[in-house]
Amino acid sequence: MTPPRRAFVAGATGYTGREVVRALVESGVQTYAHVRPDSSSLASWGERFGALGAEVDTTAWDEGAMSGRLLELAPTLLFALLGTTRHRMQAEQASYDTVDYGLTALLIRAASILSPKPKFVYLSSLGVGPRARGAYLLARHRAEEALRSSGLPYLIARPSFITGEDRDEARPGERVAAQVADGLLQVVGKLGGRKVQDRYRSTDARGLAHALVGLALDEARVNEVLSSDQLVTYGR
Ligand SMILES: NC(=O)c1ccc[n+]([C@@H]2O[C@H](COP(=O)([O-])OP(=O)(O)OC[C@H]3O[C@@H](n4cnc5c(N)ncnc54)[C@H](OP(=O)(O)O)[C@@H]3O)[C@@H](O)[C@H]2O)c1
């Protein structure tokens, strides 16, 4: 008999996170959608995730509290889909270092003490690697390194732009950049550069979530770094 599949999703309230929660529930996985306890939209997230069939978890972003909660829940899958933006970091006194790296690293350490070890899925970004430059890419490189050296089974996803008509947060710059890039890539694709097109083109949250959950549930897919083209062509 296969053991019950249980997922804990950090960053569940994000554009990608909420679709990952939906895809997990649709795949029959018992799903805990994490919402920060001081969220101003806690009640509406409770309703939204409850309607999907997921449980809401409001554990504080504190290492002791998070470790204790994960020991209780014993998830078999853990998703880290967290990240701040320039706009938000001013309002919240946060940074790529404290959120994109810091909260992901906290979660990795909390997950590392579990036995059996859960499979850890980290949503990183195109461009991350040892030669990455800039605070955003460097924070994500550090998070990737922390995961690789943690001993946890992992998947690291490096998508290009994640955007779509269904994105409710206004990110006009990002949307326009993705549209321009997708337009140029269509030309590249027509000229025979299909692989280049797949590598850099944008994805929407639903498509990305489908790939992340499918790969997470596939026991043969482990300790891999997934490039944008592998994510956009998943299931094709
Ligand atoms: N958007 C792109 O084009 C793109 C491309 C490649 C990679 N990525 C990376 O992929 C990740 C997910 O992308 P997305 O577009 O789904 O992000 P998103 O919609 O901005 O969601 C970010 C998530 O992180 C949480 N978060 C942010 N600041 C936090 C803080 N200080 N404390 C606790 N939680 C915090 C948010 O919680 P609240 O709802 O409570 O704020 C939300 O759940 C991001 O980290 C992003 O950098 C994005």
Side-chain angles (χ1 to χ4, degrees):
M1 216 170 74
T2 47
R5 296 178 303 182
R6 225 174 351 261
F8 185 90
V9 183
T13 55
Y15 177 56
T16 310
R18 59 194 86 156
E19 289 302 327
V20 166
V21 170
R22 182 201 305 277
L24 283 164
V25 173
E26 285 173 359
S27 301
V29 180
Q30 186 184 7
T31 304
Y32 290 85
H34 183 260
V35 182
R36 45 174 146 174
D38 55 346
S39 168
S40 56
S41 313
L42 193 53
S44 67
W45 282 118
E47 281 173 27
R48 198 163 162 172
F49 287 134
L52 284 177
E55 319 254 355
V56 169
D57 184 87
T58 56
T59 304
W61 276 111
D62 165 86
E63 193 159 339
M66 193 57 84
S67 305
R69 186 61 176 145
L70 292 184
L71 279 167
E72 258 170 41
L73 296 178
T76 53
L77 296 172
L78 229 143
F79 289 80
L81 314 169
L82 297 150
T84 189
T85 57
R86 265 179 211 286
H87 178 70
R88 272 194 237 171
M89 56 175 89
Q90 280 168 0
E92 297 187 347
Q93 294 187 320
S95 67
Y96 296 128
D97 202 45
T98 58
V99 179
D100 297 44
Y101 169 72
L103 297 186
T104 304
L106 184 156
L107 212 54
I108 292 168
R109 291 192 298 274
S112 302
I113 59 173
L114 301 183
S115 177
K117 291 183 188 301
K119 186 168 176 182
F120 196 106
V121 181
Y122 172 50
L123 183 53
S124 186
S125 172
L126 179 76
V128 173
R131 285 191 294 278
R133 292 278 177 276
Y136 172 76
L137 294 179
L138 276 174
R140 286 176 172 273
H141 176 59
R142 287 178 66 208
E144 287 192 5
E145 291 296 288
L147 180 54
R148 262 193 276 261
S149 60
S150 67
L152 291 166
Y154 67 83
L155 291 176
I156 292 171
R158 292 179 179 168
S160 179
F161 286 112
I162 312 165
T163 189
E165 294 297 323
D166 56 342
R167 178 151 218 155
D168 50 16
E169 186 191 19
R171 292 192 185 196
E174 210 167 82
R175 176 100 44 99
V176 169
Q179 280 166 355
V180 170
D182 286 346
L184 290 171
L185 288 165
Q186 256 183 10
V187 178
V188 173
K190 284 192 180 126
L191 294 173
R194 185 77 190 269
K195 195 142 175 65
V196 176
Q197 184 182 19
D198 285 341
R199 176 156 288 240
Y200 295 104
R201 77 163 194 222
S202 69
T203 176
D204 66 8
R206 196 161 285 207
L208 179 59
H210 169 72
L212 292 177
V213 170
L215 290 158
L217 292 175
D218 184 343
E219 284 174 19
R221 305 297 297 264
V222 75
N223 299 345
E224 287 183 49
V225 178
L226 301 151
S227 57
S228 192
D229 52 324
Q230 288 173 292
L231 296 165
V232 297
T233 59
Y234 178 78
R236 199 189 261 176

